[in-house]
Amino acid sequence: MRKIMMFAIKEHERKVALAWAKNNQVDVTFSEDILNMETVDQLKGFDGVTTQQTGKLDNRVYGRLKELGIKQIAQRTAGFDMYDLEKASENNIIISNVPSYSPNSIAEFAVTSALQLVRKTHLLEEKVREKDFRWQVPIMAKEIKSLEVAIIGTGRIGQIAARVFKAFGSKVVGYDLYQNEQAKQHLEYKDTVEEAVANADIVSIHMPATDDNHHLFNAELFNHFKDGSVFVNTARGSIVDTKALLQALDSGKISGAALDTYENESPYFPKDFRDKEISDPILKELIMRPEVILTPHIAFYTDIAVNNLVEGGLDATLSVLETGTCETRVN
Ligand code: NAD
């Protein structure tokens, strides 16, 4: 029987993985460890591996995998920026992801976050906890229907978010490196990201992290934002210069931000820090700021998405073992 190791196994994944193992007649073993040079030897005697890396994978792991006869790593997320694809290929390691496990999960979360910021529910909750039940100007909201929304990155997730905002009656504009015919049903494309954000009350980003978009959202771009707009990032932390965002919040240029990802999140998300110190001053500030809604990279976290991620990672692993490749390989 083929043997697959699931690294970084989470409690919510076990049931789905066991059902998959039974259906596919594969022996699946769980390890809560992440894959690194200290843990890679757990793969001795295994045929394949699936994991859910968060930080960058140590480049030495690829060579060790090759020595152990492992031919692939199936990442159980859509993002695969934690892998050095060239180094993996040099060692004949196929990297795969699960590209579209549930775009609705992330799009719905982005819309939820935008609604919270615009309807100021995060500020209201705080006031109610203090037993301050007054109707006051700072918590007066706007109607989503009256707002303009900019969707930056109009792929799978961006298009769903655009469709939902359009259903509210909002004007939806978009920017992408490549315009998409289907997306045009839901949004009006602008030629540059600066034009897209210029009149937007809500800016929501939905693009992968690439070498070209590191800190794309910096002080210069925030200057192009409409005064008092809100910013939602359910994409990747590295796309945003967080210090510049904090300055834009200080100046009131941006009135609120919902961040599901943060550029230096990997030591923290998704871990329990209740009894531990956070040493990152920027993260501390994001947690404390009333106008920031910070969430631990959780937009994907629904039952449907978890099922698809577990099955997607295991299917890709088995496919490489049986056919030498898989549809979701990224290198
Ligand atoms: P997708 O590949 O379908 O669409 C991404 C779009 O971004 C593409 O149309 C691409 O052309 C565009 N793009 C790339 N670089 C760009 C740039 N510099 N400027 C403008 N557009 C650019 O991807 P998707 O499935 O819609 O996912 C989008 C992103 O959402 C993922 O890459 C990932 O970073 C993020 N994500 C977050 C979570 C979460 O839990 N928070 C979960 C899954 C995915």
Side-chain angles (χ1 to χ4, degrees):
M1 197 185 275
R2 287 203 164 91
K3 291 181 74 178
I4 297 178
M5 172 72 89
M6 273 184 99
F7 273 112
I9 183 80
K10 307 281 187 315
E11 202 48 47
H12 55 250
E13 296 180 309
R14 287 174 190 261
K15 207 172 142 194
V16 186
L18 288 172
W20 183 94
K22 199 171 166 204
N23 284 344
N24 290 278
Q25 293 293 298
V26 171
D27 181 348
V28 177
T29 300
F30 300 143
S31 170
E32 288 178 15
D33 294 331
I34 58 158
L35 181 59
N36 57 32
M37 276 311 277
E38 280 74 55
T39 61
V40 65
D41 280 3
Q42 290 179 29
L43 288 167
K44 274 182 193 160
F46 281 82
D47 303 300
V49 56
T50 166
T51 186
Q52 205 168 54
Q53 289 297 117
T54 47
K56 189 156 173 31
L57 183 71
D58 184 334
N59 275 343
R60 293 172 300 166
V61 170
Y62 303 111
R64 184 64 190 138
L65 286 173
K66 191 179 178 186
E67 285 165 11
L68 291 168
I70 302 280
K71 296 188 169 53
Q72 51 70 241
I73 306 174
Q75 171 72 9
R76 302 194 302 280
T77 64
F80 49 87
D81 42 303
M82 53 298 278
Y83 298 101
D84 183 330
L85 298 184
E86 260 178 50
K87 276 274 169 317
S89 297
E90 278 169 23
N91 289 283
N92 296 325
I93 304 291
I94 294 173
I95 307 290
S96 62
N97 68 341
V98 187
S100 183
Y101 48 86
S102 178
N104 283 285
S105 300
I106 299 102
E108 288 175 14
F109 196 87
V111 175
T112 304
S113 305
L115 297 188
Q116 280 179 288
L117 289 170
V118 171
R119 295 308 304 251
K120 305 189 182 179
T121 53
H122 58 307
L123 302 177
L124 261 170
E125 278 167 21
E126 203 53 45
K127 289 199 173 292
V128 169
R129 220 168 277 127
E130 292 165 1
K131 292 174 278 180
D132 179 354
F133 306 129
R134 290 171 298 166
W135 301 339
Q136 290 177 307
V137 174
I139 50 168
M140 184 166 70
K142 288 184 173 155
E143 292 183 20
I144 309 294
K145 182 177 188 289
S146 68
L147 302 182
E148 181 166 324
V149 183
I151 301 291
I152 314 298
T154 59
R156 286 172 290 244
I157 298 171
Q159 280 181 50
I160 296 170
R163 176 162 50 75
V164 177
F165 279 117
K166 197 176 173 204
F168 272 108
S170 307
K171 175 177 178 188
V172 186
V173 301
Y175 171 72
D176 197 298
L177 296 176
Y178 307 99
Q179 296 194 359
N180 177 305
E181 283 311 309
Q182 250 182 321
K184 287 182 184 168
Q185 291 170 22
H186 314 300
L187 56 84
E188 175 197 317
Y189 273 112
K190 299 286 179 182
D191 291 332
T192 63
V193 64
E194 288 82 4
E195 282 175 75
V197 301
N199 295 312
D201 302 282
I202 298 169
V203 176
S204 189
I205 66 174
H206 302 283
M207 65 182 92
T210 64
D211 290 341
D212 298 332
N213 66 18
H214 182 80
H215 284 190
L216 172 67
F217 284 79
N218 56 15
E220 217 242 301
L221 184 51
F222 287 132
N223 270 336
H224 288 272
F225 274 45
K226 182 175 171 181
D227 289 347
S229 52
V230 301
F231 179 65
V232 178
N233 182 7
T234 56
R236 280 292 179 274
S238 66
I239 302 169
V240 178
D241 178 346
T242 315
K243 278 191 189 154
L245 173 64
L246 287 169
Q247 280 160 10
L249 288 163
D250 280 338
S251 72
K253 183 74 183 167
I254 295 179
S255 65
L259 308 175
D260 189 48
T261 60
Y262 162 57
E263 53 185 318
N264 300 315
E265 72 187 32
S266 69
Y268 300 100
F269 299 170
K271 296 179 190 148
D272 183 359
F273 263 75
R274 280 176 298 178
D275 298 325
K276 294 188 197 117
E277 264 300 305
I278 288 178
S279 55
D280 178 341
I282 297 179
L283 180 60
K284 277 192 197 165
E285 189 168 346
L286 293 173
I287 294 167
M288 294 311 294
R289 284 224 178 199
E291 75 277 40
V292 174
I293 302 173
L294 181 76
T295 48
H297 206 136
I298 204 166
F300 79 98
Y301 195 53
T302 64
D303 52 354
I304 291 176
V306 167
N307 276 26
N308 292 342
L309 281 168
V310 170
E311 290 174 359
L314 289 167
D315 284 343
T317 307
L318 189 56
S319 171
V320 175
L321 300 183
E322 285 178 345
T323 69
T325 189
C326 63
E327 278 178 12
T328 50
R329 70 184 288 176
V330 292
N331 65 336

